[in-house]
């Protein structure tokens, strides 16, 4: 019998009267859901970008923090504490990200007489420093990965890292000491790659965590990423709730997570749980936490400590589904000083659960972040399906925050059933108006290695690139034509009202002809570089969702797939052909365009420099991710942006003019 998606209402006394949720998006909504179930008054905080967000509307009270940038809103500890005081909150739940693992924030809460729903300051400080954490848990018998850390951040520390890298050997992994979530991690396979990797990791760490201290670790090839959920109260009880398989990652960011792991046997599960509990006890941990390990794919009974996340995890839902335990409720009760109401023998794993993270990103463009207005959001339903979503129809996805839209989770009696339910749920998830990774997720779940549970952290990187769509079924084209026809008919009706004094016959823009009406047709482009398709308006079909974007493009969801189609006039088609011809003739002087919207964080060259094909010219950051704009060929670079500039997707950031060949007359 599968566990319920959400636990039954508790009959015990609420641990608090009012709790402030110091976060946004799906995790804020998730916490508010438990607060409401427990009868606890909820306080939401928000930035100007989130003034109409779902978590703001669902809370009992909402308080504005400041402008959209996180540094001016969600990272303002003073504003959050003031909001808690003003609303009578007794406790602050930080969720994950932002200030969730910030020891100074936890300390400030305590000084303000507020309960921080999380571990103590010492645990945050030790486990928040990866260098210190590794040394600490090793002293308690927890296995760790060989590595080195800089003792003196900055120039001196960098020299230490370079020397240590030579001693450790390659490949290596450069990691920020602070923070988590894989942010800033850089793989280094040779000494020549090390300086650029250190610079990138340090830049990201400083921006994301305010601490640019780095460490090195031996890179374990084709490992599995296994984490163990722990709960600990303030009375000495520490238990594990089983492991989660978080191996399917891209750029060290988790994509799909499941519980339990398909590779861990009962003996190893017990050893992992004991190691995780030992790590928690070593810092007198209190609350919900996650201890992460790398496990060798060749030797699944061997594992090594990576780090401890001193907070709720994004993937906590899969543990809740297989144990039936509301982790947020446990966090609240522990924070209130209550004893855990269960022991290790009370933890039972029931079935299998798998979670897929739905991101606003373009897999066909190298998984670059996508922004835009969500014209339609429909979340899936079905047996064993749970959705933790951040956005709704009409919401805008911006570059200010993480691009995750929702988590789609499925529970089944076994892994096969959970996988099938998750795929069906993803097929029924409708997002119109911006690119998502849903199509990629379904391709990933269908991989033979994934179906067999034969996973490693490099699996996604080895997959063939997901190619853009080049065709669309007739039903999709017909739906797009019908949607466009309806939109144009509305536009024309409005125009007719304005020009009602003129002859209505000659003003009509529909298919009226002498001798009778003719079928109306439209021309669409499905994929760049593909021939246009002429489509006649056809009757609509059941189960198809459509929407027209502000740029005129038509979005269609049908049979579990989403398409973006661009209408083209004859004039536009001709201009496209001419532009293509011009680009081919001028291929030696192309524009270098921004691959995604974001902020210019680094410039590697100066105007007038001679660059080689593939050289990084400009680095752009958005949604905690960096991406380089590179030279398409050798030549002289002319920059069009500066550090700190905001750029739009496809904006020209530089030109590379081919240098004259030897013997050419300048």
């Amino acid at each position: 019998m599968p566990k319920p998606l959400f636990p039954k209402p508790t009959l015990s006394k609420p641990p608090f009267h009012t709790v402030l949720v110091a976060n946004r998006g799906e995790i804020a909504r998730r916490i508010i859901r438990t607060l409401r179930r427990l009868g606890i008054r909820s306080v939401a905080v928000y930035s100007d970008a989130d003034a109409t967000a779902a978590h703001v509307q669902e809370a009992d009270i909402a308080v504005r923090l400041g402008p959209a940038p996180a540094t001016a809103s969600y990272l303002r500890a003073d504003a959050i504490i003031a909001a808690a005081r003003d609303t009578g909150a007794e406790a602050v739940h930080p969720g994950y990200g932002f200030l969730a693992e910030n020891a100074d924030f936890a300390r400030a809460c305590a000084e303000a007489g507020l309960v921080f729903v999380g571990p103590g300051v010492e645990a945050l400080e030790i486990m928040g420093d990866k260098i210190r954490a590794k040394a600490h848990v090793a002293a308690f018998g927890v296995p760790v990965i060989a590595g080195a850390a800089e003792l003196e951040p900055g120039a001196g520390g960098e020299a230490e890292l370079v020397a240590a890298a030579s001693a450790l050997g390659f490949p290596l992994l450069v990691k920020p000491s602070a923070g988590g979530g894989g942010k800033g991690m850089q793989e280094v396979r040779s000494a020549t790659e090390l300086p650029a990797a250190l610079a990138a990791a340090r830049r990201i760490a400083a921006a994301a965590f305010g601490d640019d201290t780095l460490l090195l670790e031996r890179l374990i090839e084709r490992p599995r990423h296994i984490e163990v959920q722990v709960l600990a109260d303030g009375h000495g009880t520490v238990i594990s709730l089983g492991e989660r398989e978080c191996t399917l990652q891209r750029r060290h960011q988790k994509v799909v997570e499941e519980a339990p792991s398909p590779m861990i046997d009962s003996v190893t599960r017990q050893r992992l749980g004991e190691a995780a509990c030992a790590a928690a006890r070593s810092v007198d941990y209190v609350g919900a936490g996650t201890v992460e390990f790398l496990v060798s794919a060749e030797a699944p009974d061997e594992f090594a400590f990576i780090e401890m996340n001193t907070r709720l995890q994004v993937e906590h839902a899969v543990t809740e589904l297989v144990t039936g335990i509301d982790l947020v409720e446990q966090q609240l009760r522990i924070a209130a000083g209550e004893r855990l109401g269960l022991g290790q023998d009370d933890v039972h794993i029931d079935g299998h659960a798998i979670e897929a993270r739905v991101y606003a990103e373009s897999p066909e463009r190298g998984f670059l972040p996508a922004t835009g207005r969500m014209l339609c959001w429909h979340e899936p339903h079905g047996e064993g399906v749970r959705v933790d979503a951040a956005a709704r129809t009409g919401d805008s996805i911006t570059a200010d925050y993480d691009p995750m839209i929702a988590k789609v989770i499925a529970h089944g009696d076994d892994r096969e059933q959970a996988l099938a339910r998750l795929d069906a749920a993803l097929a029924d998830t409708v997002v119109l108006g911006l690119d998502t990774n849903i199509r990629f997720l379904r391709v990933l779940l269908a991989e033979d290695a994934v179906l067999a549970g034969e996973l490693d952290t490099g699996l996604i990187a080895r997959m063939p690139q997901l190619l853009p769509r080049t065709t669309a079924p007739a039903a999709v084209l017909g739906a797009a034509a019908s949607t466009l026809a309806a939109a144009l008919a509305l536009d024309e009706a409005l125009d007719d009202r304005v020009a009602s004094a003129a002859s209505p016959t000659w003003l009509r823009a529909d298919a009226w002809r002498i001798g009778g009406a003719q079928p109306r047709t439209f021309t669409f482009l499905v994929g760049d570089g593909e021939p246009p398709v002429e489509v006649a308006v056809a009757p609509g079909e059941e189960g198809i969702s459509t929407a027209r974007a502000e740029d005129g493009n038509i979005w269609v969801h049908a049979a579990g797939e989403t398409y973006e189609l661009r209408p083209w006039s004859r004039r536009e088609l001709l201009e496209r052909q001419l532009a293509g011809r011009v680009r081919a003739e001028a291929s030696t002087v192309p524009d270098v365009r921004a691959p995604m919207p974001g902020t210019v964080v680094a410039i590697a060259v100066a105007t007038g420099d001679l660059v080689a094909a593939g050289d990084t010219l400009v680095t752009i950051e958005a949604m905690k991710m960096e991406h380089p704009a590179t030279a398409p060929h050798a030549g002289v670079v002319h920059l069009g942006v500066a550090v700190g500039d905001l750029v739009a997707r496809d904006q020209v950031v530089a030109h590379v003019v081919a240098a004259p060949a030897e013997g050419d007359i300048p």
Side-chain angles (χ1 to χ4, degrees), residues 51 163 181 257 300 306 369-370 389 399 454 581 636 662:
E257 302 101 344
I306 307 173
E454 298 172 354
R581 195 175 302 160
V636 179
E662 290 187 18

PDB file of all heavy atoms in Angstrom, residues 51 163 181 257 300 306 369-370 389 399 454 581 636 662:
ATOM      1  N   ALA A  51       5.806  40.129  -6.094  1.00  0.00           N
ATOM      2  CA  ALA A  51       4.686  40.761  -5.398  1.00  0.00           C
ATOM      3  C   ALA A  51       3.374  40.006  -5.576  1.00  0.00           C
ATOM      4  O   ALA A  51       2.522  40.004  -4.678  1.00  0.00           O
ATOM      5  CB  ALA A  51       4.531  42.208  -5.863  1.00  0.00           C
ATOM      6  N   ALA A 163      50.373  24.001  -6.153  1.00  0.00           N
ATOM      7  CA  ALA A 163      51.357  23.020  -5.686  1.00  0.00           C
ATOM      8  C   ALA A 163      50.674  21.719  -5.273  1.00  0.00           C
ATOM      9  O   ALA A 163      51.158  20.621  -5.573  1.00  0.00           O
ATOM     10  CB  ALA A 163      52.154  23.602  -4.519  1.00  0.00           C
ATOM     11  N   GLY A 181      25.052  22.858  -3.660  1.00  0.00           N
ATOM     12  CA  GLY A 181      24.307  22.756  -4.906  1.00  0.00           C
ATOM     13  C   GLY A 181      25.163  22.620  -6.145  1.00  0.00           C
ATOM     14  O   GLY A 181      24.677  22.781  -7.265  1.00  0.00           O
ATOM     15  N   GLU A 257      16.220  12.654  -9.047  1.00  0.00           N
ATOM     16  CA  GLU A 257      16.585  12.006  -7.790  1.00  0.00           C
ATOM     17  C   GLU A 257      15.576  10.907  -7.465  1.00  0.00           C
ATOM     18  O   GLU A 257      14.409  10.993  -7.871  1.00  0.00           O
ATOM     19  CB  GLU A 257      16.596  13.021  -6.638  1.00  0.00           C
ATOM     20  CG  GLU A 257      17.549  14.197  -6.858  1.00  0.00           C
ATOM     21  CD  GLU A 257      16.815  15.467  -7.310  1.00  0.00           C
ATOM     22  OE1 GLU A 257      15.655  15.354  -7.734  1.00  0.00           O
ATOM     23  OE2 GLU A 257      17.404  16.544  -7.226  1.00  0.00           O
ATOM     24  N   PRO A 300      30.312  -0.592  -5.173  1.00  0.00           N
ATOM     25  CA  PRO A 300      29.217   0.130  -4.510  1.00  0.00           C
ATOM     26  C   PRO A 300      29.211   0.030  -2.991  1.00  0.00           C
ATOM     27  O   PRO A 300      28.452   0.735  -2.338  1.00  0.00           O
ATOM     28  CB  PRO A 300      27.958  -0.521  -5.113  1.00  0.00           C
ATOM     29  CG  PRO A 300      28.411  -1.824  -5.656  1.00  0.00           C
ATOM     30  CD  PRO A 300      29.824  -1.656  -6.071  1.00  0.00           C
ATOM     31  N   ILE A 306      31.260  13.656   1.111  1.00  0.00           N
ATOM     32  CA  ILE A 306      31.460  14.861   0.298  1.00  0.00           C
ATOM     33  C   ILE A 306      31.225  16.098   1.148  1.00  0.00           C
ATOM     34  O   ILE A 306      32.080  16.949   1.316  1.00  0.00           O
ATOM     35  CB  ILE A 306      30.510  14.912  -0.917  1.00  0.00           C
ATOM     36  CG1 ILE A 306      30.561  13.659  -1.751  1.00  0.00           C
ATOM     37  CG2 ILE A 306      30.866  16.132  -1.775  1.00  0.00           C
ATOM     38  CD1 ILE A 306      29.514  13.638  -2.853  1.00  0.00           C
ATOM     39  N   PRO A 369      19.672  29.067 -19.651  1.00  0.00           N
ATOM     40  CA  PRO A 369      18.428  29.494 -19.010  1.00  0.00           C
ATOM     41  C   PRO A 369      17.489  30.197 -19.976  1.00  0.00           C
ATOM     42  O   PRO A 369      17.930  30.887 -20.902  1.00  0.00           O
ATOM     43  CB  PRO A 369      18.917  30.457 -17.917  1.00  0.00           C
ATOM     44  CG  PRO A 369      20.337  30.097 -17.680  1.00  0.00           C
ATOM     45  CD  PRO A 369      20.872  29.625 -18.998  1.00  0.00           C
ATOM     46  N   ALA A 370      16.197  30.017 -19.754  1.00  0.00           N
ATOM     47  CA  ALA A 370      15.169  30.657 -20.572  1.00  0.00           C
ATOM     48  C   ALA A 370      14.351  31.592 -19.683  1.00  0.00           C
ATOM     49  O   ALA A 370      14.145  31.328 -18.508  1.00  0.00           O
ATOM     50  CB  ALA A 370      14.262  29.622 -21.226  1.00  0.00           C
ATOM     51  N   ALA A 389       5.239  23.058  -7.144  1.00  0.00           N
ATOM     52  CA  ALA A 389       5.446  24.032  -8.211  1.00  0.00           C
ATOM     53  C   ALA A 389       5.678  25.427  -7.662  1.00  0.00           C
ATOM     54  O   ALA A 389       5.190  25.786  -6.587  1.00  0.00           O
ATOM     55  CB  ALA A 389       4.258  24.045  -9.168  1.00  0.00           C
ATOM     56  N   ALA A 399      15.597  36.350 -14.911  1.00  0.00           N
ATOM     57  CA  ALA A 399      16.966  35.930 -14.632  1.00  0.00           C
ATOM     58  C   ALA A 399      17.389  36.230 -13.200  1.00  0.00           C
ATOM     59  O   ALA A 399      18.529  35.976 -12.822  1.00  0.00           O
ATOM     60  CB  ALA A 399      17.924  36.610 -15.609  1.00  0.00           C
ATOM     61  N   GLU A 454      21.780   1.671 -13.981  1.00  0.00           N
ATOM     62  CA  GLU A 454      23.229   1.682 -14.115  1.00  0.00           C
ATOM     63  C   GLU A 454      23.685   3.122 -14.330  1.00  0.00           C
ATOM     64  O   GLU A 454      23.937   3.575 -15.446  1.00  0.00           O
ATOM     65  CB  GLU A 454      23.661   0.773 -15.263  1.00  0.00           C
ATOM     66  CG  GLU A 454      23.271  -0.696 -15.047  1.00  0.00           C
ATOM     67  CD  GLU A 454      23.514  -1.566 -16.265  1.00  0.00           C
ATOM     68  OE1 GLU A 454      23.875  -1.011 -17.340  1.00  0.00           O
ATOM     69  OE2 GLU A 454      23.314  -2.796 -16.161  1.00  0.00           O
ATOM     70  N   ARG A 581      21.702  34.439 -47.182  1.00  0.00           N
ATOM     71  CA  ARG A 581      22.695  34.584 -48.236  1.00  0.00           C
ATOM     72  C   ARG A 581      23.776  35.576 -47.833  1.00  0.00           C
ATOM     73  O   ARG A 581      24.975  35.349 -48.039  1.00  0.00           O
ATOM     74  CB  ARG A 581      22.005  35.062 -49.515  1.00  0.00           C
ATOM     75  CG  ARG A 581      22.829  34.920 -50.777  1.00  0.00           C
ATOM     76  CD  ARG A 581      21.974  35.305 -51.979  1.00  0.00           C
ATOM     77  NE  ARG A 581      20.779  34.476 -52.055  1.00  0.00           N
ATOM     78  CZ  ARG A 581      19.694  34.806 -52.725  1.00  0.00           C
ATOM     79  NH1 ARG A 581      19.643  35.954 -53.376  1.00  0.00           N
ATOM     80  NH2 ARG A 581      18.655  33.986 -52.754  1.00  0.00           N
ATOM     81  N   VAL A 636      40.473  39.620 -35.248  1.00  0.00           N
ATOM     82  CA  VAL A 636      40.624  40.737 -34.320  1.00  0.00           C
ATOM     83  C   VAL A 636      39.276  41.016 -33.671  1.00  0.00           C
ATOM     84  O   VAL A 636      38.264  41.154 -34.352  1.00  0.00           O
ATOM     85  CB  VAL A 636      41.148  41.983 -35.042  1.00  0.00           C
ATOM     86  CG1 VAL A 636      41.268  43.155 -34.067  1.00  0.00           C
ATOM     87  CG2 VAL A 636      42.491  41.699 -35.698  1.00  0.00           C
ATOM     88  N   GLU A 662      48.581  36.432 -44.742  1.00  0.00           N
ATOM     89  CA  GLU A 662      49.897  36.878 -45.182  1.00  0.00           C
ATOM     90  C   GLU A 662      49.893  37.083 -46.678  1.00  0.00           C
ATOM     91  O   GLU A 662      49.404  36.257 -47.436  1.00  0.00           O
ATOM     92  CB  GLU A 662      50.968  35.853 -44.791  1.00  0.00           C
ATOM     93  CG  GLU A 662      51.241  35.784 -43.310  1.00  0.00           C
ATOM     94  CD  GLU A 662      52.426  34.892 -42.992  1.00  0.00           C
ATOM     95  OE1 GLU A 662      53.213  34.625 -43.926  1.00  0.00           O
ATOM     96  OE2 GLU A 662      52.570  34.466 -41.838  1.00  0.00           O
TER      97      GLU A 662
END
